[in-house]
Structures are given as C-alpha cells and as structure tokens.
Amino acid sequence: MTKEEKDTEELIFDAACRVFQRKGYDGARMQEIADEADINKSMLHYYYRSKDKLFQKVYQREMSRFFPVIFGVLDSDMPIDEKVEQLIETYYTFLDKNPKIVQFLFHEMNKNPERLKEFIDKQGIHPPKKLMRQLNEEAQEGKMDKVKPKQFLTSIVGLILFPFYSQAMIRGIFDLNEDEFAEYLKERKDFLLNFILNGINYKRQ
Amino acid sequence: MTKEEKDTEELIFDAACRVFQRKGYDGARMQEIADEADINKSMLHYYYRSKDKLFQKVYQREMSRFFPVIFGVLDSDMPIDEKVEQLIETYYTFLDKNPKIVQFLFHEMNKNPERLKEFIDKQGIHPPKKLMRQLNEEAQEGKMDKVKPKQFLTSIVGLILFPFYSQAMIRGIFDLNEDEFAEYLKERKDFLLNFILNGINYKRQ
DNA sequence: TCATAATTCAACCATTTGGTTGACTACAGG
DNA sequence: CCTGTAGTCAACCAAATGGTTGAATTATGA
C-alpha cells in the first residue's frame, strides 16, 4: 500500500463526513456512504459497528475542527482590532474549504443539545475569558464603547457564519450564481472588519 | 362543531407544522404527526395524500410567515435608523413565538434550493429595492457611510437570526439556562440597534 | 510453508416506515 | 326510512433501511 492510497477505514470515514454533511444524520443512508466510499456496506459495520457510532465520530471530528478556529484567535495576545481581523481571515479560509460544516453542525447541535454539552465538557471548552477581560479594559481606556462581551462575541461569529448558513436564501433572493456568491463573500471580509470595529466605536491606533 | 374545536384537517396541519419544525423532513415520522394530532395515521393520507405533499404545505406556510417579516419593514417609508429598530422589534416578537422556524427553514432551504427558488419566483420576492436606493441616498447626504446594500442587509438579518439558530451552542458555551438565555435575548435588542447604526456611522437626527 | 487472524462481500434478516384497503359510522337530503 | 357521501380506523402491504452472517480471500508471522 503506497502512502497515496487510503485504507478502507479512512475511506469510509471521509465518505461519511461528506454524506453526513450533505444530508444530516436523518437524511444520510448507510448505503449512500458505502457507495460514496465505493465499498461494500458491510464494511461500514465491520469498522464502525453502527450508523450512530459512525456519526458520533464524524460529529466529534467536525466539532473539533470547528471550535478551535474561534477560540484559538480570541484568547490570544492581540489588540481587539487585530483579533477581529484575524478571526475573519481565519474563519473565511476555513469555511471556504468547508462550506457545509456550519449548516451541518448547527443542525445537529440543536437537534441534540445533550451531546453538544457532553462535547463541550469533555473538550474543556470555556467562554474566552481573556477576550472578555480585554473588552472591559479597552473600554475603560476609552478605546471603544463598553459592550456586553456575550453580545459582542455572538455578533462577530454570527456575522461571519451567516452567509454560510443562509447561502441558499442569499443566492435565491439576490439571484446570485456561484461566482457572484463567491464575490459577495470576498467583499464581505473588508466590510465586516469596518462594520464590527465601527459598531463598538473602536479607535484604531 | 363549535368554533373552538378545529376540524381534523387543521388538527393534522398544526401537528405537522410542529413535528416538521422539531425534526425536519427527514426526521419527522407520519406516525408521530398522527400521534401529535391524536388521530389515526390514515387520516394524514386521506387529507394530504403523501408525506411530501403535507410537507410542501407546511414549508409553504412557514415561508409565507417568515419572509414578509423582513420585507414589509425594509421597503417601507422610514429613515434607516427607524427601519432597523422596527426590524429588530418585529423579528424578535415573531421569533419569540416561533423559535424553531429559523432552524427549520434554513435547513430545508439549503437542502433543496430548487424548491426555494420556486417559492421565491411564485411569491414574487425581490431584493428590497427601496432600501437599497435609500442606503445610497442617505450616504450621499452624509448621514452614514457608503455601504454595499447586500452586505448591510445580510448583516442585519444575520445578527438578528444568529441567536435562534445557534441557541444550543450559545447556551452550551456560556452555560445558560432558559431564563438566562431569555435575558440574553432581551438585552440583545438594545445592543443590536446601537451596534448596527454605529457600524455604518449613522448620524441620528 | 502453513496456520491464524484480518478483511471483504453477497445474501439475508428484522424492523421501520410511507402508504393502502375495506369495513364501519355519522349524517344530510330526498 | 333509505341512500349516498364524507370521515374514521384497524389491519395490511411493499419498499427501504440498519444491521448480521458465513463463506471466501488476503495478509501476517512463526
């Protein structure tokens, strides 16, 4: 086996990631995953026991890819404006390659909050305290308005994620083809940075 | 039959709305809808022929409830700041009563963009031209920054909708119980108005 | 080389699920 | 009072779907 070829287990997993992201847990079919991996359906059960177990792994892996993207940047040592800029950049790079992940994860998180809670606890995910302290400090220094950290944080993330979550609607209403939507996404990066920093009256150095 | 009682057809439809919103098309079961309506499963087919036909009607009705909420306000005659304020108010009132509708509709829209397109065409839904013209005018007059209307519009809507489709995540990460989340939603209304108007440097009269 | 373990697959199996049938009931109109 | 129509339901049905099995094949390593 050369390094290029993936072994069966990995082949299945990759196919499962794609199919679950396209269809969600309920819409996904074991046969479809098998077909996508070009492999016999029994293999799925040989390596992963059940649809549920397989899904669990996919869910876990996608969550593990998604969450650090936020927190890695937010709890670093940077002034707010750079954080926001970096967050936008990091997110868009990631989401460009994984446009379906937002729709997928939010659907599954809402469908099963207990599983989400379990993941959060196991991974030791916490609100970004550093950012929250920083928001208060920089407001005290007069560099920006005083804002509620939860509101600010959910606003940034919401602004970034919304186009991916609502892609069908945006494209439908504005009648955008694939290229035009990509153009919209591209120009959004600049727009967002300005909009967000203005939103809290941030005075850039 | 008194006016209080609903007839079977309506009973089924209401139950279907609830179940489809909770579970989505794929996750919903005809039997579950029947149980929710406290009625024999055959009745569903008697009145609506098939799961697909029933779903179509539910989808249509929820879309028809959701879309006018945006466009009614946006294409009215008001200065931008009032529009934004009104939009936030209208949305939150509506979503308070229909918290599941966002998750439901966006999932189904993304799963089937063709059906969405069909709905948009049939209902004659267009981008809010009046707002777009107004944004240019008020920027010209120096009342606000010049912004790309598509970016602005998707930002407002994204900011408003995010808490509803990411409810599980927000509650999970910040460890909020139902009341605390309601409190977060309540304080968000004021935050958003400020944040959005600042975001485009809007000078209020 | 040969026994053992890991892997692959076609054929099955049991349950779930959307959908149908035909008998039964309630009732409106003649 | 009879008849036809709309509505209701328990029992069924066929297809889909997650999952199992056992035989065959392919590594593995002693």
Side-chain angles (χ1 to χ4, degrees), chain B residues 25-147:
Chain B
Y25 179 85
D26 292 321
R29 296 287 159 257
M30 292 300 267
Q31 188 59 59
E32 186 178 353
I33 296 173
D35 291 347
E36 177 102 10
D38 199 24
I39 240 165
N40 189 285
K41 183 163 71 85
S42 305
M43 291 292 90
L44 306 196
H45 292 95
Y46 180 75
Y47 286 105
Y48 295 95
R49 303 278 306 279
S50 70
K51 183 183 183 184
D52 216 74
K53 292 256 191 358
L54 177 54
F55 175 78
Q56 220 72 245
K57 297 233 163 138
V58 170
Y59 177 81
Q60 211 112 336
R61 118 115 184 201
E62 298 301 339
M63 290 288 274
S64 302
R65 273 151 46 86
F66 181 75
F67 271 89
V69 182
I70 318 179
F71 294 107
V73 173
L74 288 182
D75 261 353
S76 62
D77 286 307
M78 275 189 246
I80 299 282
D81 57 343
E82 280 181 43
K83 275 189 186 181
V84 173
E85 186 168 7
Q86 181 118 101
L87 192 67
I88 294 172
E89 195 55 45
T90 312
Y91 251 122
Y92 272 84
T93 306
F94 175 71
L95 293 174
D96 257 356
K97 289 188 215 111
N98 306 273
K100 297 252 170 68
I101 201 173
V102 178
Q103 178 68 31
F104 168 67
L105 284 183
F106 279 79
H107 183 69
E108 300 299 342
M109 280 190 271
N110 282 319
K111 233 187 53 188
N112 196 337
E114 298 76 38
R115 179 165 49 211
L116 167 63
K117 199 69 194 155
E118 197 183 323
F119 177 85
I120 287 175
D121 291 344
K122 212 174 70 182
Q123 297 288 313
I125 291 175
H126 298 105
K129 288 205 181 112
K130 213 159 171 174
L131 174 78
M132 294 177 150
R133 207 177 320 120
Q134 185 182 19
L135 283 171
N136 283 323
E137 281 169 16
E138 303 209 10
Q140 216 87 58
E141 293 166 22
K143 288 168 75 176
M144 52 171 278
D145 289 349
K146 186 164 176 53
V147 293

Side-chain angles (χ1 to χ4, degrees), chain A residues 8 39-40 42-43 46-47:
Chain A
T8 306
I39 242 167
N40 189 285
S42 304
M43 291 291 91
Y46 179 75
Y47 285 106

Side-chain angles (χ1 to χ4, degrees), chain A residues 23-154:
Chain A
K23 303 290 187 76
Y25 179 86
D26 291 321
R29 297 285 160 259
M30 294 299 267
Q31 188 59 58
E32 186 179 353
I33 295 174
D35 291 346
E36 177 103 11
D38 198 24
I39 242 167
N40 189 285
K41 181 163 71 87
S42 304
M43 291 291 91
L44 307 194
H45 293 94
Y46 179 75
Y47 285 106
Y48 295 95
R49 303 279 306 279
S50 71
K51 183 182 183 183
D52 215 72
K53 293 255 192 357
L54 176 56
F55 175 78
Q56 219 74 245
K57 299 233 162 140
V58 170
Y59 177 80
Q60 212 114 331
R61 116 115 185 202
E62 298 301 340
M63 289 287 276
S64 302
R65 276 154 42 88
F66 181 75
F67 271 90
V69 182
I70 317 179
F71 294 108
V73 173
L74 288 181
D75 261 353
S76 62
D77 287 307
M78 274 190 245
I80 299 282
D81 57 343
E82 280 181 42
K83 276 190 186 180
V84 173
E85 187 169 8
Q86 181 118 98
L87 192 68
I88 294 172
E89 194 55 46
T90 312
Y91 250 122
Y92 272 86
T93 306
F94 174 72
L95 292 174
D96 258 356
K97 288 187 215 111
N98 305 273
K100 296 251 170 68
I101 201 173
V102 178
Q103 179 65 34
F104 168 67
L105 285 182
F106 279 80
H107 183 69
E108 301 299 341
M109 282 192 268
N110 281 319
K111 232 186 54 187
N112 196 339
E114 299 75 39
R115 179 167 47 210
L116 167 64
K117 199 68 194 155
E118 197 184 321
F119 177 85
I120 286 176
D121 291 344
K122 211 174 71 183
Q123 298 288 315
I125 291 175
H126 299 105
K129 289 206 181 109
K130 214 159 171 175
L131 173 79
M132 293 174 153
R133 208 178 319 121
Q134 186 182 18
L135 284 171
N136 283 320
E137 280 168 17
E138 303 208 14
Q140 215 88 59
E141 293 166 21
K143 286 169 75 179
M144 53 172 277
D145 289 350
K146 187 163 174 50
V147 292
K148 309 222 178 220
K150 272 201 279 286
Q151 298 296 345
F152 181 64
L153 186 52
T154 51

